[in-house]
Amino acid sequence: MSTALSLSVTGSPRESSPCTCLKRGPKMVSSKLPNFLYIGTGKAGTTWLFQVLSRHPNVFLTPVKETNFFDLNYERGLNWYAEFFADAGSNELVGEIAHRYLHEPTAPQRIKADLGQVKLIVGVRNPIDYCISDFLFTRRNGQFEGDLREWVAHGFDFRRVAYRDLIQPFVDEFGVAAIYVYNFDDLARSPQIFIDSITSFLGIAPFPLDNESTNPINAAAKPRIKSLARIANLTSKFLKRRGGQRIISSVKYNRLVQRVLYKKIGEKPRLDPDAEHVLRTHARSHAAWLDETFGHRFSHTWGLAPMAPEEIR
């Protein structure tokens, strides 16, 4: 069982009791803080992972997916963050699913300073599939009007699949052994084997999935009314920076709201060979670094040409 972090009233970290005592106005709040985090990326099954781990008897997750504490709301202080975990009780593991932390340069140091040596989970995805998913998501929110080729040329942020640049700062801060990197394709291929690998890394009992848990979540969709989808997205961004995570969660996972705003698409678009070549060239060294650092075979799985060790560095 991991030792939870305890804080004094003044906020100085120390390892002692499994609770964190913090001030909420004039009162004291007894709360645990996370001993594991999912830090990124997005579009890698995070909503599914959030829902499944939330049902595990030994795990407590924040009642909302993404508090955005270590990226957008850090100035609100640790008291604000701890309130999300006030109901953790005696759960063995306490965690948060927050895919934006991987893209925040200050997150590794902030997490280490406030939570200590926690376990970190990172989900990665074939860069080509990620690019298409990001394109569909952006179109879904009414933020891009062009086609997929234009997206690769003018809209896609290649830093989102620069996995070495994103993960290396966390390796430097926490070490390789504290980080579990998975491939989204493994979840799509076998949800049970995938969740078994997660529970094994976290050191908790396996969790048998029911039939409903093997179904995909957040299937690709397009807006019914573009202007309404754009307003919804801008409102979500506004609330994320103002502590409105609970409001976002109540709306985002409301099936009626989702049916009103979006409708499922048919077949996903495909990249043309030139655009695919651009992505593969960009991704090659990052996949090779993942293989070398974490012992995976992402280069092979994603159809990327292998690299010699001296080329990776």
Side-chain angles (χ1 to χ4, degrees):
M1 181 181 299
S2 300
T3 302
L5 185 69
S6 178
L7 291 181
S8 66
V9 174
T10 58
S12 300
R14 68 177 188 273
E15 283 192 329
S16 58
S17 69
C19 290
T20 297
C21 293
L22 300 153
K23 284 186 175 180
R24 180 191 286 162
K27 299 182 179 180
M28 297 293 294
V29 178
S30 179
S31 175
K32 286 186 175 181
L33 289 175
N35 40 32
F36 82 93
L37 297 172
Y38 177 94
I39 56 173
T41 61
K43 301 169 185 65
T46 55
T47 300
W48 183 91
L49 185 62
F50 173 77
Q51 293 185 4
V52 170
L53 285 180
S54 293
R55 298 199 300 272
H56 195 292
N58 302 119
V59 176
F60 177 87
L61 289 181
T62 48
V64 300
K65 178 188 163 193
E66 296 182 274
T67 67
N68 299 111
F69 176 64
F70 289 106
D71 59 331
L72 302 179
N73 291 303
Y74 197 66
E75 74 286 350
R76 295 181 181 275
L78 202 57
N79 290 353
W80 180 86
Y81 186 51
E83 290 189 15
F84 286 98
F85 307 95
D87 297 326
S90 60
N91 292 84
E92 181 178 353
L93 285 182
V94 178
E96 181 190 4
I97 307 296
H99 64 77
R100 291 176 57 99
Y101 293 164
L102 196 63
H103 302 276
E104 170 54 52
T106 64
Q109 293 76 27
R110 288 174 172 179
I111 293 170
K112 188 66 172 288
D114 289 339
L115 304 183
Q117 185 67 16
V118 294
K119 290 186 175 182
L120 304 175
I121 300 173
V122 178
V124 297
R125 192 168 182 175
N126 184 324
I128 293 172
D129 294 339
Y130 184 98
C131 178
I132 295 172
S133 180
D134 201 33
F135 165 73
L136 293 172
F137 179 78
T138 308
R139 294 260 304 189
R140 173 182 183 264
N141 291 326
Q143 295 179 296
F144 190 77
E145 299 292 338
D147 60 22
L148 186 54
R149 186 182 181 90
E150 292 172 316
W151 172 247
V152 175
H154 306 294
F156 183 59
D157 185 351
F158 282 80
R159 292 174 298 179
R160 293 185 176 276
V161 291
Y163 295 129
R164 174 178 53 192
D165 299 342
L166 294 171
I167 302 172
Q168 182 69 65
F170 289 90
V171 172
D172 294 340
E173 198 68 49
F174 293 90
V176 171
I179 304 172
Y180 180 75
V181 179
Y182 73 78
N183 182 5
F184 173 76
D185 292 342
D186 294 336
L187 167 57
R189 186 181 303 110
S190 178
Q192 185 63 65
I193 293 176
F194 168 79
I195 199 61
D196 287 347
S197 71
I198 296 292
T199 55
S200 176
F201 170 71
L202 294 176
I204 54 177
F207 187 67
L209 299 176
D210 55 28
N211 290 334
E212 185 178 351
S213 297
T214 61
N215 296 328
I217 298 175
N218 283 350
K222 59 182 178 181
R224 295 183 186 275
I225 304 174
K226 291 182 180 179
S227 58
L228 190 60
R230 189 179 298 113
I231 291 171
N233 180 255
L234 292 174
T235 302
S236 175
K237 289 182 177 180
F238 176 85
L239 290 171
K240 281 181 180 179
R241 290 162 172 81
R242 286 160 179 81
Q245 277 66 26
R246 287 181 172 85
I247 299 173
I248 295 171
S249 181
S250 65
V251 173
K252 184 175 182 180
Y253 300 110
N254 184 293
R255 293 182 179 180
L256 177 59
V257 172
Q258 295 302 308
R259 284 198 296 268
V260 169
L261 289 175
Y262 312 109
K263 57 183 176 181
K264 292 183 179 180
I265 66 170
E267 187 176 351
K268 291 184 180 181
R270 296 177 62 88
L271 283 171
D272 64 64
D274 290 340
E276 190 170 305
H277 175 73
V278 170
L279 267 170
R280 289 186 182 278
T281 300
H282 175 81
R284 188 171 168 235
S285 65
H286 295 282
W289 177 83
L290 286 172
D291 294 344
E292 184 182 66
T293 305
F294 294 98
H296 288 292
R297 300 186 66 210
F298 291 136
S299 297
H300 173 78
T301 303
W302 295 340
L304 303 174
M307 297 182 71
E310 59 272 14
E311 294 182 273
I312 300 172
R313 300 177 179 88

